[in-house]
Amino acid sequence: MSDQLRLDGGGDTLLVGISGGRPRIDYWGPELPQGFAPDAGLLERARPHGMLDGGEAFDLLPEAGNGFTGAPALQVSRPSGGFITQLRHQGAQRRPGGLDITLADPRAGVEAAISIDVDAPTGVTAFRTRFRNTGDEPLRIEWAAAAALELPDGEVLAFGGRWAREFDAHRFRLPAGLWASEARTGRTSHHAPPFLVAGEAGFGEHHGRVLGLHLAWSGDHRLLVERLRDGRLQAQAGELFWPGEMVLPPGGTYGTPTLYAARSEAGLNGLSDRFHPFVRDRILDGRLRGRPRPVHFNTWEAVYFRHDLSELKALADSAAAAGVERFVLDDGWFRGRNDDTAALGDWSPDPVKYPDGLGPLVEHVRSLGLEFGLWVEPEMANADSDLLRAHPDWVLGEPGREQPLGRGQYVLDLTRPEVAEAIFAQLDGLLSAHPIAYLKWDMNRDLTHPASGGRPASHAQVRAVYALIDRLRAANPAVEIESCASGGGRADYEILRRTDRIWTSDCNDPIERQSIQRAFSIFFPPEVMGAHVGPADSHTTARTTSLELRAMTALFGHMGVEADVRAFNPRELEALKAAIALHKRLRPLLHGGRLVRQVPPDPGAVAFAVVGEEGALASLAQVETPRIAGAAPFRLQGLDAQATYDVRMLNPPRRARAAMKHVPALVRGETVRATGRWIAETGLPAPILRAGEIAVFQLSRSAA
Ligand code: DGJ
């Protein structure tokens, strides 16, 4: 076997070197000529004094035992004290599109199998490792990264955030030391989602060499970046275990979550060009293709916990009249649920609010031609619930020990079959009793006492949640599910395998949403991005925004409405109707085209375009007061340079002269014609926008 195993995909080549007993990435970049093999001398590194004789032994699974002095990818221990591992290459097995590399340390009693799969069309590469305890004592895993990857360049774009401000991107350079982002909340998290991008200095939306990483795991995790002593930069991602959580019995195995990685020479949009089709085809397995995403009406910001049947029917009527296609009954519908302190776990309709059950509302909604969806939070129970009164021991935690509550609730121990069974039976019963097309699956508290049977069970709980969703889907294959965790706290590729939409954020304020959606869209395509038109006054920011900005912001995702539409004035209602109609008309483009984030002419703006065969739709939203006085041209990237487009502003300002002495023809509503090249290089005349205003342009490819 040659010293290198080669994988190709998406115009890239990955060379995995296996000489010297250890697997390393020798090359990952634009496709190499077939048959190319680097001179062995090209792979040598000078070794400095003051370090081990073999230098820093960095590879796909660096271990201290093999001479690596950075953060190792594997840390284990035995009850008798052993902890050194020195895995050596045993063999490699090729599969279509991938390979498995096996390593073993018979003395330590550890085996590892690293799997690498390259998606041929997109080049998105999946790394995961399975460890086996081949010894005769239990093997405790302290840390096991899916893989360690070298970051080619040192500027890191990481994501933090909080409730109602998810996917808050920040950049840093790491001159020395180690940066880690950890979530210990039992969910993907608002503050430390397991993604990052690293690239060459100043990489942007359209330029720069970048590597994007995404750990597909919906529980506790760690993502780290470390400057090694020899100057290289490593990244690792894996599950974060609680003390003593992952102990393998003799013969036992543990498989890491998958770390998805993609590289691009064309900046962040280049990454999305790989991740979006990959998500569509591989993560969602093509299941949304050809199934237009129905426009939602969600009751939460319209009525919160105040459920009144006639009011809800009236809301459904107004929503249907506005063009909505699916009505989602949010929190507040079940037995005893009048605020967020009680009733989670008791999944039957509240007899006071729904004396005849959900039937009358479901029938009414369906008689309007709408699908019916229902909010649930299956992993939780309130202390004040019939479920916990009957089974106080069904929660994760140590029996008898008080634990901090989140929203007055506990996390159910779904690792116990009887608990999972009881929740499944309740949910399945609801789905059998009513034609429910959709579940909004929420998860609203951090998990701080993940103990089951006296042992840590954070990992097992995540697996149990996956299993519960999988079982429910298998039993109800037509039902779609949305992943929600207090907004966007559970947004990752593993939950998305089994769900159809992600509730991006509880912040429906479009000013915030523009930035949230920009960062979210690096990894996720627009059709899974829940985006709602909220009320004019945002409950999360206390800001007031126009219907136009709210609607034109929601237009670019999986659109919905989440406000009391009966309170909209006639002009707003007309505008909402028009926006929904526009969304429906352009849905094939919006949900199937190529999303290209744009560099706006003013730094206080956010701009997107979705480009398809027939044309494009672009938005320019001014989220802050403009920094520059006159609007610079809007240079729109991503179009076909040779094609000619008829460009029209869909929402010419009604009082344009309030902000502009001269209003360009395009901004007056006239159609202008230009080539894609002109639009990219010279740009479109843009309006002067004030904070909170948005311009939307439709570009139709002209036959001429
Ligand atoms: C949190 C979700 O993110 C909201 O959209 C809403 O469903 C509430 N929970 C209901 O309690």
Side-chain angles (χ1 to χ4, degrees):
M1 185 176 284
S2 107
D3 276 355
Q4 260 116 17
L5 297 163
R6 173 179 175 140
L7 294 167
D8 292 296
D12 284 342
T13 296
L14 179 71
L15 288 185
V16 180
I18 47 169
S19 61
R22 299 285 305 172
R24 358 154 264 282
I25 294 183
D26 283 341
Y27 175 85
W28 195 5
E31 194 166 314
L32 294 172
Q34 282 304 327
F36 172 86
D39 278 354
L42 287 172
L43 302 171
E44 289 182 24
R45 289 178 77 90
R47 291 176 203 138
H49 296 290
M51 284 177 69
L52 294 171
D53 296 343
E56 193 68 278
F58 178 68
D59 48 44
L60 272 170
L61 209 67
E63 296 158 273
N66 277 318
F68 182 63
T69 64
L74 176 67
Q75 279 184 297
V76 296
S77 64
R78 299 277 185 192
S80 54
F83 67 96
I84 293 173
T85 58
Q86 285 181 308
L87 291 164
R88 310 298 294 174
H89 177 241
Q90 299 296 298
Q93 201 94 63
R94 281 187 172 279
R95 288 177 281 102
L99 51 100
D100 297 313
I101 302 163
T102 44
L103 304 156
D105 177 349
R107 177 164 171 172
V110 181
E111 272 178 17
I114 305 174
S115 304
I116 307 175
D117 288 88
V118 178
D119 181 50
T122 64
V124 173
T125 303
F127 296 89
R128 68 182 80 81
T129 304
R130 176 163 290 281
F131 297 93
R132 175 186 295 280
N133 178 7
T134 57
D136 41 24
E137 273 187 309
L139 180 76
R140 174 166 154 162
I141 299 183
E142 318 282 354
W143 169 246
L149 299 177
E150 182 177 350
L151 297 179
D153 297 286
E155 188 161 308
V156 176
L157 180 73
F159 301 88
R162 61 163 168 85
W163 172 72
R165 191 175 170 147
E166 292 84 343
F167 317 107
D168 194 17
H170 57 276
R171 284 183 189 235
F172 64 88
R173 293 186 64 79
L174 195 67
L178 183 147
W179 169 92
S181 165
E182 297 186 339
R184 301 163 188 275
T185 53
R187 48 187 178 177
T188 322
S189 89
H190 294 85
H191 65 286
F195 338 132
L196 65 75
V197 178
E200 63 185 272
F203 69 85
E205 291 292 1
H206 308 296
H207 74 278
R209 180 168 68 168
V210 286
L211 179 73
L213 304 181
H214 181 117
L215 183 75
W217 184 245
S218 316
D220 298 335
H221 58 260
R222 177 190 289 138
L223 183 62
L224 68 86
V225 175
E226 184 181 26
R227 178 71 67 185
L228 302 180
R229 290 165 65 199
D230 65 6
R232 282 180 286 188
L233 207 55
Q234 74 150 336
Q236 290 181 22
E239 263 190 87
L240 196 62
F241 299 124
W242 292 74
E245 176 166 13
M246 190 50 68
V247 180
L248 302 184
T253 65
Y254 163 72
T256 66
T258 302
L259 174 63
Y260 292 100
R263 53 170 308 289
S264 161
E265 305 285 322
L268 295 168
N269 280 311
L271 278 185
S272 300
D273 284 342
R274 292 172 183 263
F275 282 126
H276 290 188
F278 177 76
V279 167
R280 285 172 176 157
D281 292 339
R282 301 279 168 236
I283 299 294
L284 296 166
D285 209 10
R287 68 175 178 274
L288 299 189
R289 197 162 296 118
R291 293 174 61 190
R293 306 291 69 226
V295 176
H296 280 197
F297 177 80
N298 181 289
T299 60
W300 182 239
E301 288 198 36
V303 297
Y304 297 100
F305 294 104
R306 194 190 68 245
H307 285 210
D308 172 82
L309 187 56
S310 54
E311 200 183 341
L312 289 167
K313 284 182 175 174
L315 270 172
D317 294 343
S318 312
V324 156
E325 298 162 304
R326 181 185 274 161
F327 179 94
V328 180
L329 187 65
D330 209 283
D331 198 355
W333 61 269
F334 46 100
R335 205 160 78 237
R337 185 69 165 177
N338 297 313
D339 55 32
D340 64 7
T341 61
L344 290 175
D346 301 339
W347 301 111
S348 66
D350 183 75
V352 179
K353 299 175 186 174
Y354 298 95
D356 299 313
L358 288 178
L361 181 61
V362 177
E363 277 148 35
H364 183 78
V365 163
R366 286 172 50 85
S367 74
L368 296 167
L370 272 53
E371 291 182 2
F372 186 84
L374 193 63
W375 179 95
V376 286
E377 194 175 355
E379 297 150 66
M380 301 289 162
N382 285 108
D384 183 2
S385 64
D386 292 343
L387 187 82
L388 285 198
R389 272 184 285 278
H391 304 283
D393 61 324
W394 274 15
V395 300
L396 284 171
E398 279 179 4
R401 184 191 286 282
E402 279 298 308
Q403 56 172 296
L405 296 181
R407 237 189 170 205
Q409 62 201 53
Y410 293 95
V411 184
L412 286 171
D413 184 354
L414 293 174
T415 72
R416 286 170 61 175
E418 67 278 25
V419 183
E421 181 58 42
I423 298 300
F424 172 82
Q426 290 203 58
L427 298 177
D428 193 53
L430 281 165
L431 296 178
S432 317
H434 303 288
I436 295 172
Y438 186 81
L439 288 179
K440 176 177 175 186
W441 187 297
D442 207 343
M443 194 287 201
N444 282 308
R445 69 151 288 178
D446 295 332
L447 176 55
T448 48
H449 289 225
S452 176
R455 297 196 33 78
S458 182
H459 165 88
Q461 175 76 2
V462 176
R463 289 264 164 235
V465 172
Y466 291 159
L468 180 59
I469 300 177
D470 291 346
R471 184 175 172 202
L472 208 62
R473 282 199 85 116
N476 303 274
V479 175
E480 291 192 2
I481 300 183
E482 172 172 31
S483 170
C484 172
S486 311
R490 189 142 72 187
D492 64 80
Y493 288 175
E494 197 55 48
I495 198 72
L496 194 56
R497 276 191 188 286
R498 36 190 60 83
T499 52
D500 307 284
R501 187 192 209 233
I502 290 171
W503 181 227
T504 318
S505 176
D506 276 357
C507 187
N508 287 321
D509 175 339
I511 296 272
E512 301 294 317
R513 267 298 184 128
Q514 285 284 333
S515 309
I516 293 171
Q517 294 183 183
R518 178 177 54 193
F520 181 89
S521 74
I522 296 172
F523 292 95
F524 298 96
E527 65 268 33
V528 302
M529 180 176 76
H532 292 176
V533 179
D537 297 326
S538 162
H539 75 162
T540 56
T541 63
R543 201 187 268 133
T544 304
T545 52
S546 69
L547 190 273
E548 184 165 57
L549 182 63
R550 283 176 279 145
M552 292 301 112
T553 301
L555 182 90
F556 282 80
H558 177 178
M559 191 177 188
V561 181
E562 185 173 338
D564 187 347
V565 275
R566 297 165 310 163
F568 286 18
N569 66 38
R571 217 175 47 213
E572 287 173 326
L573 262 186
E574 272 320 298
L576 179 66
K577 232 180 185 167
I580 292 175
L582 179 69
H583 177 82
K584 287 179 178 172
R585 188 157 52 79
L586 296 179
R587 208 159 22 193
L589 168 70
L590 291 165
H591 293 168
R594 177 175 167 234
L595 180 95
V596 187
R597 288 171 301 278
Q598 302 290 328
V599 177
D602 183 88
V606 178
F608 297 95
V610 191
V611 183
E613 291 289 307
E614 310 288 312
L617 192 76
S619 72
L620 175 61
Q622 194 69 41
V623 295
E624 294 169 15
T625 48
R627 307 243 178 96
I628 50 176
F634 185 18
R635 295 195 176 89
L636 207 58
Q637 311 295 319
L639 302 171
D640 178 346
Q642 307 308 326
T644 300
Y645 294 88
D646 288 328
V647 188
R648 194 164 67 89
M649 185 170 170
L650 291 183
N651 57 345
R654 267 182 294 122
R655 284 188 294 276
R657 294 189 67 84
M660 289 167 271
K661 267 191 207 177
H662 172 69
V663 184
L666 178 64
V667 182
R668 290 197 306 268
E670 293 174 26
T671 299
V672 299
R673 179 171 279 202
T675 59
R677 168 101 58 224
W678 177 281
I679 296 169
E681 300 296 332
T682 305
L684 294 170
I688 293 174
L689 297 170
R690 291 160 301 175
E693 292 181 333
I694 187 166
V696 180
F697 302 93
Q698 183 163 16
L699 297 94
S700 313
R701 203 178 168 124
S702 97

